[in-house]
Amino acid sequence: MFTVYIQMMKNRIYRLTSGREVTVREVMDATGLSKPGAYKRLALNRDDDDVFAKVGHNIGRKGVKIDWVSEPVDVAMGIPINPEYLDGQIKGQASYDRHGKKLSYGQRTALARYRRKMREEWRKTNNNIKNRSNYG
């Protein structure tokens, strides 16, 4: 019984959105994917372009990056009410911005990139930083 099931899986035909019928072996030969990779690709997608994309082609998220824009700080009588360093606070298992709103994964990574960029700019312009790579 088990061998019959394996034989059925080998010969399974998948119908794509264009109406074309393909097998896992055809997808493997055309893309260079492994057998599990071809099965996974056919299970997740039936679009011709995505199914027959070469190995390494990202068919999921297209890498859209969010750019973090720091909001202006509210000041009352010389005291900052919502300073920038409050963005990214961790409470429990989540991160929050300075207003208490939960940050998504994209926002958290954008904030980390923004802070890394700001730190590098600060290090380049400050003459008191030790262990700089551009010592003179």
Side-chain angles (χ1 to χ4, degrees):
M1 168 124 176
F2 185 69
T3 56
V4 172
Y5 176 74
I6 291 174
Q7 192 65 28
M8 286 174 38
M9 289 300 288
K10 286 182 182 177
N11 297 328
R12 181 166 178 198
I13 297 174
Y14 295 85
R15 184 181 302 271
L16 302 179
T17 54
S18 65
R20 180 178 174 186
E21 293 179 344
V22 296
T23 63
V24 172
R25 176 58 61 189
E26 291 172 1
V27 173
M28 287 171 56
D29 293 339
T31 61
L33 285 169
S34 64
K35 188 180 280 188
Y39 275 117
K40 185 76 167 180
R41 192 172 280 188
L42 284 167
L44 294 176
N45 207 329
R46 297 295 169 93
D47 185 44
D48 290 73
D49 295 334
D50 291 337
V51 168
F52 287 105
K54 294 293 181 188
V55 174
H57 175 72
N58 183 6
I59 61 173
R61 296 177 60 119
K62 299 298 182 194
V64 176
K65 289 186 178 178
I66 300 172
D67 289 329
W68 184 264
V69 178
S70 183
E71 301 172 3
V73 177
D74 295 333
V75 179
M77 298 186 333
I79 302 169
I81 302 299
N82 56 352
E84 185 175 348
Y85 63 80
L86 291 178
D87 286 329
Q89 293 182 74
I90 298 174
K91 297 177 186 171
Q93 300 291 325
S95 294
Y96 296 87
D97 68 359
R98 63 181 96 172
H99 304 294
K101 296 177 187 168
K102 193 172 182 179
L103 296 176
S104 68
Y105 176 76
Q107 291 171 325
R108 291 192 315 261
T109 56
L111 177 60
R113 280 193 308 272
Y114 172 77
R115 287 188 172 160
R116 188 169 37 248
K117 180 179 142 197
M118 291 291 114
R119 183 174 186 273
E120 288 301 317
E121 287 179 13
W122 171 74
R123 286 180 59 88
K124 287 179 184 175
T125 59
N126 193 335
N127 293 328
N128 296 326
I129 303 297
K130 293 183 180 180
N131 299 325
R132 283 198 311 183
S133 60
N134 58 354
Y135 254 95

